[in-house]
C-alpha cells in the first residue's frame, strides 16, 4: 500500500508521460541548482545540518524500528546490486542514504529515485553545469554553507548530506510542494520533465514491509 505522501505526490505530478523515455535512455538528468537569496536563519540551519557531527549509523528506538530498517535494507540492496555490485560499497551507501534521508525528513525511496535520475548512481558524475556526485550538488554550495572544499562533493556521505539538506530546504521554501521543490533542485522549476522522471524512479524504489515480520515482532 502506497504511503499518503506518495499519493499526494501522484496528485501533484499527474501522469508521468515523459518519465519513461527519460529513464529508459539511462541518461542522468544533471542538477543545476541556482544560488538562492536566503535568510540568515535558513543559512545557519543549513550550515548546522552540513556540519552535524552526530554518529552516522542508524539508531533505533525499538526492535520494530530496527526490523523495518533491516527489511528496507535487504530489499533495496537486492535492487541496487546491479548498479553497485561491491557489497561493502553498497552497504555503506545504503546506510548513508537512509540516515541522511530520514534525518532531513525525506522518504529514502524518493531520494534513491532522485539519485537514479540525477547521476545513475555514479559517484564521480559531473554535469555540464559542474554539478557533482550522486546527488549532483553544485559546487557553490560548499562556499555558501560549507568549508569551500569542492572535492568533498565526491565523498559519498558529504554529497548525500548536501543533497538531502538542500532538497529539504527547497521543499520548505515551496510550502511542501514537492513538484516545485524538485524542479528548483534541478534548475527547471515549473517544468514537468524532471519531477515526473523522479516520480517514476521513486516508484521503483518504494518499499513494502513484510507483514509477517511485523506480526512476529508484535507478538514478542
Amino acid at each position: 500500500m502506497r504511503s499518503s505522501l506518495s499519493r499526494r505526490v501522484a496528485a501533484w505530478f499527474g501522469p508521468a508521460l515523459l518519465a519513461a523515455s527519460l529513464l529508459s535512455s539511462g541518461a542522468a538528468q544533471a542538477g543545476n541548482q541556482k544560488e538562492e537569496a536566503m535568510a540568515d536563519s535558513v543559512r545557519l540551519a543549513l550550515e548546522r545540518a552540513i556540519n552535524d557531527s552526530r554518529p552516522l549509523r542508524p539508531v533505533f528506538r525499538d526492535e520494530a524500528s530496527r526490523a523495518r530498517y533491516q527489511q528496507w535494507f535487504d530489499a533495496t540492496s537486492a535492487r541496487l546490486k546491479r548498479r553497485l555490485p561491491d557489497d561493502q560499497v553498497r552497504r555503506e551507501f545504503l546506510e548513508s542514504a537512509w540516515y541522511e534521508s530520514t534525518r532531513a525528513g525525506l522518504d529514502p525511496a524518493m531520494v534513491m529515485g532522485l539519485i537514479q535520475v540525477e547521476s545513475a548512481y555514479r559517484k564521480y558524475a559531473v554535469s555540464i553545469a559542474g554539478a557533482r556526485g550522486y546527488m549532483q550538488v553544485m559546487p557553490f554550495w560548499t562556499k555558501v554553507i560549507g568549508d569551500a572544499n569542492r572535492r568533498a562533493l565526491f565523498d559519498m556521505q558529504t554529497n548525500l548530506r548536501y543533497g538531502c539538506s538542500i532538497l529539504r530546504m527547497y521543499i520548505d521554501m515551496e510550502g511542501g510542494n514537492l513538484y516545485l521543490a524538485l524542479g528548483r533542485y534541478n534548475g527547471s522549476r515549473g517544468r514537468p520533465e524532471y519531477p515526473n522522471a523522479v516520480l517514476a524512479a521513486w516508484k521503483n524504489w518504494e518499499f513494502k514491509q513484510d507483514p509477517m515480520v511485523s506480526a512476529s515482532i508484535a507478538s514478542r
Side-chain angles (χ1 to χ4, degrees):
M1 183 174 181
R2 297 183 63 193
S3 66
S4 59
L5 177 58
S6 298
R7 289 193 295 270
R8 290 199 301 272
V9 171
W12 290 333
F13 284 60
L17 298 177
L18 300 177
S21 61
L22 286 170
L23 293 173
S24 63
S25 68
Q29 304 300 307
N32 185 22
Q33 303 103 12
K34 305 295 191 299
E35 190 163 356
E36 303 280 354
M38 63 183 75
D40 289 342
S41 58
V42 175
R43 188 187 308 275
L44 181 59
L46 279 172
E47 289 176 353
R48 288 174 175 170
I50 294 300
N51 295 301
D52 188 348
S53 60
R54 286 178 293 180
L56 306 180
R57 290 298 183 94
V59 177
F60 306 100
R61 63 179 180 273
D62 52 39
E63 188 58 32
S65 298
R66 181 184 296 277
R68 283 193 294 271
Y69 168 77
Q70 191 61 53
Q71 285 188 59
W72 171 84
F73 180 93
D74 293 342
T76 307
S77 180
R79 298 175 194 172
L80 189 61
K81 189 171 185 177
R82 181 174 61 85
R83 297 175 183 272
L84 297 180
D86 183 275
D87 290 343
Q88 181 174 347
V89 169
R90 191 169 65 257
R91 176 180 59 78
E92 292 176 353
F93 177 88
L94 287 175
E95 287 179 349
S96 295
W98 186 91
Y99 181 89
E100 296 300 339
S101 298
T102 55
R103 176 176 171 273
L106 304 173
D107 184 337
M110 189 268 287
V111 172
M112 295 290 289
L114 183 146
I115 294 170
Q116 177 181 325
V117 174
E118 283 285 345
S119 68
Y121 289 90
R122 294 174 298 181
K123 181 178 181 179
Y124 297 106
V126 179
S127 75
I128 295 175
R132 300 185 176 193
Y134 289 116
M135 294 189 74
Q136 290 289 275
V137 178
M138 291 294 288
F140 73 79
W141 284 110
T142 64
K143 292 184 179 180
V144 175
I145 57 175
D147 58 5
N149 181 5
R150 295 184 172 200
R151 293 182 180 179
L153 293 178
F154 290 125
D155 173 76
M156 175 188 64
Q157 168 116 32
T158 301
N159 188 276
L160 294 174
R161 174 157 295 188
Y162 269 92
C164 289
S165 298
I166 292 165
L167 180 56
R168 177 75 261 169
M169 178 192 72
Y170 285 149
I171 292 172
D172 293 342
M173 288 176 64
E174 296 291 357
N177 188 318
L178 187 58
Y179 177 92
L180 294 178
L182 286 171
R184 191 183 287 272
Y185 187 92
N186 183 251
S188 59
R189 185 181 184 276
R191 294 178 55 185
E193 295 90 345
Y194 178 80
N196 283 343
V198 173
L199 175 60
W202 181 358
K203 292 178 181 178
N204 292 336
W205 296 101
E206 282 187 324
F207 165 67
K208 297 179 181 179
Q209 186 177 0
D210 185 346
M212 296 300 293
V213 174
S214 301
S216 175
I217 294 171
S219 64
R220 293 178 185 176

